[in-house]
């Protein structure tokens, strides 16, 4: 591994091309969103072939998820304030906003758990509940990963000089990932919750 | 363009890593044991991909030979039918996911793309290593699944069959494919960014080698389609292990949605397996025909066209799955349309050959063999792309014949051509031409003998994926079996040739084929950072016979003997 490390360090400091990590993440997320696309397609397919959707006794509740949605969507703005702060070289401000984002993400996850516990049906009840738990669960997993990224950023920002106005790719990437999680949730919320009203 | 002097690679002062030896500080060439480490150099990773994939090729080939031996007689007398099914499934899986995709995209792509665009490495070297190292565990899962009976539902793993056979093995199979898919996505991110952003500044878009165009199209296709397969396989995994009922019709599920999700990836997957090969063809043919490639832009854009149209043809695998009439019509049309850009490429290569000073090296023999066989496979593909005919031959040996013509006669021939062509660059030594020709003749005869009779078998109605068949098919099946033994024998001279040449072949020099693309401007094998001084592009990649171009390294570059 010594070889890999020394070379990787060397590559990471190549001055011959710009930092491409953000572009790479965007490409990856474009791909990742298509995995959710597959789930959405399956969901819509099942919705199309099932007469009553969602079936009786497996309806979704709307209040808690709506609050959750508001929390998650607003956290996207909060994390953007953090990004703006670091671009002004304000590490403290970044840490503050990112901490708030992390708390909001944790509250969202907690809300999901509460929702699971209060729904009254499980994953194996019928095809709708299969889709519901799988899609929200996979999204929850992504929220959790985003949370880890944000906590990682906060952990690293403890080191003085690690992030600055000119060096904040990690912060930017955590922010982009969080936006991605947010956008997926908006589509998911529309499909799983709002569509059931019609 | 001003030449960039590259700073010497010295370890950082704060680098706490204990360096293994002197050669890791500034290696001029990798040692043999570097190929067994988590190395991040794209050349090492490319060779790791190629060698690993080749090992799996041998394993999958042995399975194929066992199946053909079984099919020499109508009864299931050699293999247990369940074992036959497991071999059939894993032969397909290994050949697609662990041989052609890793070697064509991962192997050649990783090795050549940075060299061709004038980069010192891929955009994300560590990610590249991660992408490769996801492959061996996947192979281990596939092989390990045999201890649990082996997955037996065909490489397509259609439910409900995949829900009722060998569930542990099926789960391992799913995890293996997800690993390979992840590897493919990570690799593709790397290719897209490398080709878009890491080109040497003096290279214009119309000077990018066609292999890079093909790899770019491949990578975009992989990015768009692979995650959908992952979604489908996750649903299947939950159905098998966690009691959901996505694909259980008696509980409100539906099996056709799996087919949609599966083919949305797996039809583009066949383009993933052939687009890099098209790229290899576009590199090999001009070099050995000593002519500029005919229709550079047409070939480049047709790669992109295949990438786009290839995303909208998947339902032609499902014409017999109860798809509605409008869908059959739409996907018949789109399937026929995708043959057009492919035809553009074929005509471009034939026109390149036309009037060229052709050197019949082993690489060129395989490239020309590919041309003929791929046209065969392509034409039978067009026939099957039309729904009415497909309803007749669906799931017969006609299908098997078709995709073996395009995958073996296309992809594998292309990989062989690529190996013969770039082996001097990778190892610094030439391969033996005589053995190469013996290899070509055996492979060509074997391929046609094995797969040509299958067309007739399919038209007569012999179903695929069965260990026992009606005695009326025995004579054609025995011809196929003889052909498969010839194919198996054909790999032996190749393997010996590779190993022998690698150890003691004739020294190749920097540019044995007098080629013009950038990878030939550096030493063979290339030094660790590819160039002492980045090359300057002064001519197109295929300007053969024009203006007497010669590919020489820029002044100031030091020759490094291998």
């Amino acid at each position: 591994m010594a070889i890999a490390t020394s070379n990787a360090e060397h590559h990471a400091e190549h001055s011959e091309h710009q930092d491409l990590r953000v572009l790479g993440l965007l490409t990856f997320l474009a791909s990742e969103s298509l995995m959710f696309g597959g789930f959405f397609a399956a969901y819509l397919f099942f919705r199309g072939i099932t007469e009553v959707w969602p079936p009786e006794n497996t309806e979704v509740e709307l209040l808690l998820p709506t609050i959750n949605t508001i929390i998650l969507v607003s956290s996207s703005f909060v994390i953007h304030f953090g990004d703006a702060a670091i671009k002004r070289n304000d590490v403290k401000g970044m840490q503050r906003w990112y901490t708030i984002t992390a708390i909001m993400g944790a509250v969202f996850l907690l809300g999901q758990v509460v929702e699971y516990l209060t729904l009254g049906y499980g994953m194996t009840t019928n095809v709708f509940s299969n889709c519901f738990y799988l899609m929200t669960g996979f999204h929850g997993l992504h929220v959790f990963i985003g949370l880890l990224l944000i906590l990682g950023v906060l952990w690293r920002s403890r080191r003085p000089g690690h992030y600055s106005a000119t060096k904040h790719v990690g912060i930017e990437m955590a922010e982009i990932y969080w936006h991605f999680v947010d956008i997926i949730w908006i589509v998911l919320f529309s499909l799983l919750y709002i569509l059931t009203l019609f | 363009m001003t030449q960039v002097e590259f700073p010497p690679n010295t370890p950082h002062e704060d680098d706490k890593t204990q360096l293994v030896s002197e050669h890791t500080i500034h290696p001029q060439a990798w040692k043999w044991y570097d190929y067994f480490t988590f190395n991040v150099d794209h050349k090492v990773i490319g060779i790791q991909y190629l060698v690993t994939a080749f090992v799996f090729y041998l394993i999958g080939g042995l399975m194929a030979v066992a199946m053909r031996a079984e099919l020499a007689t109508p009864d299931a007398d050699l293999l247990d039918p369940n074992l036959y099914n497991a071999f059939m499934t894993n032969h397909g899986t290994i050949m697609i996911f662990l041989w052609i995709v890793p070697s064509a995209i991962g192997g050649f792509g990783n090795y050549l793309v940075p060299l061709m665009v004038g980069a010192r490495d891929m955009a994300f070297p560590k990610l590249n290593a991660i992408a490769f190292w996801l492959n061996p565990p996947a192979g281990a899962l596939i092989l390990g699944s045999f201890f649990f009976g082996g997955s037996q539902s065909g490489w397509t793993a259609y439910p409900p069959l995949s829900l009722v056979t060998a569930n542990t093995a099926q789960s391992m199979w799913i995890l293996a494919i997800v690993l390979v898919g992840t590897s493919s996505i990570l690799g593709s991110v790397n290719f897209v960014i490398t080709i878009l952003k890491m080109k040497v500044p003096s290279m214009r878009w119309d000077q990018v080698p066609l292999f890079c165009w093909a790899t770019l199209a491949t990578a975009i296709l992989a990015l768009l389609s692979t995650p959908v397969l992952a979604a489908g396989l996750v649903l299947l995994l939950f159905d098998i292990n966690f009691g959901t009922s996505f694909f259980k019709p008696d509980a409100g599920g539906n099996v056709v949605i799996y087919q949609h999700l599966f083919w949305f990836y797996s039809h583009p997957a066949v383009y993933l397996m052939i687009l890099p090969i098209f790229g290899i063809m576009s590199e090999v043919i001009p070099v050995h025909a000593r002519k500029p490639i005919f229709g550079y832009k047409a070939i480049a854009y047709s790669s992109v066209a295949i990438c786009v149209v290839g995303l909208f043809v998947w339902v032609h695998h499902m014409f017999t799955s109860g798809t509605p009439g409008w869908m059959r019509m739409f996907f018949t049309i789109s399937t026929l349309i995708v043959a057009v850009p492919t035809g553009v490429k074929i005509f471009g290569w034939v026109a390149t050959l036309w009037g060229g000073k052709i050197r019949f090296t082993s690489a060129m023999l395989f490239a020309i063999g590919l041309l003929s066989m791929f046209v065969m496979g392509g034409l039978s593909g067009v026939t099957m792309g039309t729904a009415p005919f497909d309803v007749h031959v669906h799931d017969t040996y006609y299908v098997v014949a078709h995709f073996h013509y395009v995958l073996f006669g296309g992809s594998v021939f292309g990989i062989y051509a690529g190996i013969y062509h770039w082996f001097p660059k990778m190892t610094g030594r030439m391969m033996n031409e005589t053995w190469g020709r013996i290899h070509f003749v055996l492979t060509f005869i074997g391929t046609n003998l094995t797969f040509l009779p299958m067309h007739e078998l399919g038209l007569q109605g012999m179903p695929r994926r069965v260990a026992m068949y009606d005695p009326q098919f025995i004579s054609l099946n025995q011809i196929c079996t003889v052909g498969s033994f010839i194919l198996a024998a054909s790999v032996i001279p190749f393997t010996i040739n590779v190993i022998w040449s690698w150890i003691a072949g004739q020294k190749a020099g920097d540019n044995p084929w007098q080629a013009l693309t950038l990878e030939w401007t550096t030493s063979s094998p290339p030094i660790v950072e590819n160039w002492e001084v980045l090359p300057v592009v002064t001519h197109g990649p295929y300007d053969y016979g024009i203006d007497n171009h010669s590919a020489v390294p820029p002044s100031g570059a030091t020759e490094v003997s291998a």
Side-chain angles (χ1 to χ4, degrees):
Chain A
M1 277 314 292
I3 300 160
T5 320
S6 60
N7 266 300
E9 292 231 346
H10 162 70
H11 277 292
E13 302 213 342
H14 256 261
S15 54
E16 289 181 33
H17 60 85
Q18 78 256 44
D19 203 320
L20 300 166
R21 284 175 289 178
V22 172
L23 267 178
L25 179 73
L26 286 170
T27 315
F28 175 76
L29 291 182
S31 182
E32 185 84 349
S33 56
L34 273 150
M35 189 183 80
F36 283 99
F39 291 140
F40 297 156
Y43 172 85
L44 287 170
F45 185 95
F46 287 126
R47 182 173 181 264
I49 60 167
T50 313
E51 288 199 3
V52 184
W53 191 264
E56 284 176 34
N57 305 326
T58 51
E59 286 88 359
V60 289
E61 53 170 325
L62 281 170
L63 178 66
L64 180 63
T66 308
I67 296 169
N68 245 346
T69 306
I70 292 166
I71 291 172
L72 196 66
V73 172
S74 27
S75 74
S76 251
F77 293 95
V78 176
I79 201 167
H80 181 71
F81 294 144
D83 187 56
I86 195 68
K87 280 174 181 161
R88 294 191 307 268
N89 217 353
D90 175 9
V91 178
K92 279 274 179 290
M94 185 278 293
Q95 285 173 328
R96 190 172 57 243
W97 290 117
Y98 268 57
T99 312
I100 297 172
T101 312
I103 292 166
M104 288 169 105
V107 169
F108 174 88
L109 282 177
L110 212 65
Q112 284 263 267
V113 172
V114 171
E115 189 191 0
Y116 285 175
L117 293 174
T118 53
L119 267 180
Y121 54 86
M123 189 173 74
T124 55
T125 309
N126 58 32
V127 176
F128 176 79
S129 77
N130 297 167
C131 289
F132 174 84
Y133 278 99
L134 195 97
M135 282 154 72
T136 50
F138 255 82
H139 178 267
L141 182 70
H142 280 76
V143 176
F144 183 69
I145 292 168
L147 200 59
L148 290 182
L149 290 178
I150 292 170
L151 293 176
V153 165
L154 289 171
W155 181 258
R156 285 187 166 190
S157 65
R158 288 162 49 260
R159 239 189 296 172
H162 190 83
Y163 291 124
S164 66
T166 52
K167 211 174 90 174
H168 50 258
V169 173
I171 293 177
E172 219 167 339
M173 285 170 82
E175 185 203 9
I176 290 169
Y177 191 87
W178 198 250
H179 290 323
F180 158 79
V181 163
D182 205 5
I183 292 165
I184 294 289
W185 177 255
I186 291 169
V187 179
L188 208 152
F189 182 74
S190 314
L191 288 179
L192 270 177
Y193 296 91
I194 297 176
L195 261 187
T196 58
L197 299 174
F198 301 103
Chain B
M1 181 199 124
T2 54
Q3 292 182 0
V4 184
E5 279 295 338
F6 187 67
N9 177 9
T10 47
H12 300 286
E13 286 171 22
D14 60 343
D15 191 354
K16 301 285 188 294
T17 322
Q18 194 185 353
L19 294 171
V20 178
S21 70
E22 186 61 30
H23 105 94
T24 58
I25 299 173
H26 193 182
Q28 280 302 316
W30 297 110
K31 300 276 188 290
W32 64 268
Y33 48 80
D34 288 324
Y35 290 89
F36 296 89
T37 58
F38 299 117
N39 199 304
V40 296
D41 185 39
H42 72 98
K43 297 181 289 296
V44 175
I45 292 171
I47 288 174
Q48 282 175 329
Y49 262 117
L50 278 170
V51 173
T52 316
F54 190 75
V55 170
F56 282 115
Y57 173 50
L58 297 180
I59 296 169
L62 284 175
M63 288 180 187
V65 170
M67 285 192 293
R68 282 313 327 173
E70 156 68 63
L71 290 168
T73 58
D75 290 329
D77 42 15
L78 182 71
L79 303 174
D80 174 66
N82 286 340
L83 185 63
Y84 178 90
N85 286 347
F87 272 13
M88 175 269 293
T89 300
N90 290 294
H91 161 74
T93 308
I94 285 175
M95 288 307 202
I96 289 168
F97 292 106
L98 293 167
W99 155 237
I100 296 178
V101 171
S103 58
I105 307 176
F108 287 111
N110 270 318
Y111 199 96
L112 296 172
V113 163
L115 282 166
M116 280 180 172
V117 299
R120 298 207 180 274
D121 205 323
M122 298 285 277
F124 311 111
K126 274 186 193 169
L127 191 73
N128 210 3
I130 293 170
F132 167 73
W133 284 101
L134 287 172
N135 279 283
L141 276 168
I142 294 271
L143 297 178
S145 72
F146 276 93
F147 293 108
F148 301 92
S151 50
Q152 296 174 15
S153 46
W155 82 274
T156 50
Y158 277 6
L161 184 61
S162 51
L163 300 177
V164 295
T165 53
N167 279 347
T168 310
Q170 195 68 52
S171 301
M172 292 169 81
W173 181 91
I174 290 171
L175 293 173
I177 302 303
V178 170
L179 281 178
V180 176
T182 312
S183 157
S184 181
I185 291 173
L186 299 181
S188 299
V189 168
N190 235 328
F191 286 128
V192 169
I193 305 295
T194 305
I195 295 171
L196 291 181
K197 287 287 176 185
M198 307 264 291
K199 290 198 309 293
V200 75
S202 53
M203 182 181 275
R204 298 193 313 265
W205 266 107
D206 61 353
Q207 293 170 327
V208 176
L210 287 165
F211 181 78
C212 298
W213 275 99
T215 309
L216 180 65
T218 309
I220 292 170
L221 200 54
L223 285 171
L224 293 176
S225 59
T226 316
V228 179
L229 175 75
L233 289 179
V234 164
L235 299 184
L236 189 64
L237 191 72
F238 272 64
D239 260 20
I240 291 174
N241 296 301
F242 304 116
T244 57
S245 46
F246 295 105
F247 308 129
K248 293 171 186 163
D250 50 353
N254 189 301
V255 294
V256 176
I257 181 66
Y258 174 82
Q259 297 183 16
H260 279 290
L261 293 172
F262 179 84
W263 287 115
F264 188 82
Y265 164 76
S266 292
H267 191 80
V270 304
Y271 299 120
L272 298 186
M273 288 184 273
I274 203 66
L275 275 171
I277 306 300
F278 288 164
I280 291 173
M281 289 285 283
S282 310
E283 299 297 325
V284 171
I285 284 182
V287 172
H288 295 279
R290 311 309 300 156
K291 262 188 71 186
I293 188 126
F294 183 90
Y296 170 91
K297 280 185 179 168
I299 291 181
Y301 297 160
S302 64
S303 290
V304 182
I306 288 175
C307 166
V308 174
V309 183
L311 283 167
F312 300 100
V313 296
W314 77 94
V315 176
H316 68 214
H317 295 271
M318 303 161 54
F319 284 152
T320 56
S321 304
T323 41
W326 66 266
M327 217 183 244
R328 288 183 178 186
M329 193 172 74
F330 175 87
F331 284 96
T332 293
I333 293 167
S334 64
T335 304
L336 299 189
I337 286 175
V338 87
V340 174
T342 317
V344 166
K345 286 179 185 295
I346 300 274
F347 280 108
W349 299 326
V350 173
T352 309
L353 291 172
W354 190 280
K357 294 183 191 163
I358 301 179
R359 302 180 296 196
F360 286 102
T361 56
S362 302
M364 192 60 168
L365 286 174
F366 273 101
I368 296 172
L370 187 150
L371 262 178
S372 60
M373 306 244 273
F374 188 80
V375 168
M376 274 280 301
L379 290 178
S380 62
V382 169
T383 59
M384 279 192 306
T386 48
F389 184 78
D390 181 69
V391 170
H392 174 68
V393 297
H394 181 80
D395 257 351
T396 66
Y397 261 81
Y398 192 87
V399 180
V400 179
H402 155 68
F403 69 66
H404 278 93
Y405 258 92
V406 288
L407 288 180
F408 201 104
S411 298
V412 180
F413 268 57
I415 293 169
Y416 279 151
I419 290 175
Y420 280 104
H421 185 71
W422 280 292
F423 189 86
K425 179 49 62 180
M426 293 182 184
T427 63
R429 295 176 182 275
M430 302 298 286
M431 281 180 84
N432 183 308
E433 283 296 320
T434 315
W435 282 106
R437 278 173 199 178
I438 292 169
H439 172 215
F440 170 72
V441 169
L442 283 176
T443 315
F444 193 79
I445 292 171
T447 312
N448 282 295
L449 207 58
T450 311
F451 303 120
L452 197 62
M454 288 185 185
H455 290 99
E456 181 58 23
L457 280 173
L459 289 173
Q460 289 176 14
M462 177 172 166
R464 64 193 278 209
R465 296 176 167 168
V466 288
M468 298 158 84
Y469 55 89
D470 197 286
Q472 62 170 320
F473 302 124
I474 189 165
S475 54
L476 285 175
N477 265 305
Q478 285 180 334
I479 296 174
C480 293
T481 301
V482 170
S484 73
F485 289 164
I486 295 176
L487 266 188
S490 77
V491 182
I492 298 169
F494 173 72
T495 315
I496 293 173
N497 191 355
V498 165
I499 296 171
W500 180 254
S501 305
W502 207 325
I503 297 167
Q506 199 188 335
K507 283 273 196 295
D510 288 359
N511 192 357
W513 311 124
Q514 296 88 44
L516 291 179
T517 38
L518 288 184
E519 78 268 27
W520 303 99
T521 59
T522 179
S523 58
S524 305
I527 53 172
V528 168
E529 290 282 345
N530 294 349
W531 288 276
E532 291 284 341
V533 180
L534 281 180
V536 180
V537 181
T538 54
H539 50 74
Y542 306 109
D543 290 353
Y544 299 103
I546 298 176
D547 220 8
N548 201 9
H549 277 306
S550 61
V552 287
S555 56
T558 332
E559 296 251 346
V560 180
S561 56

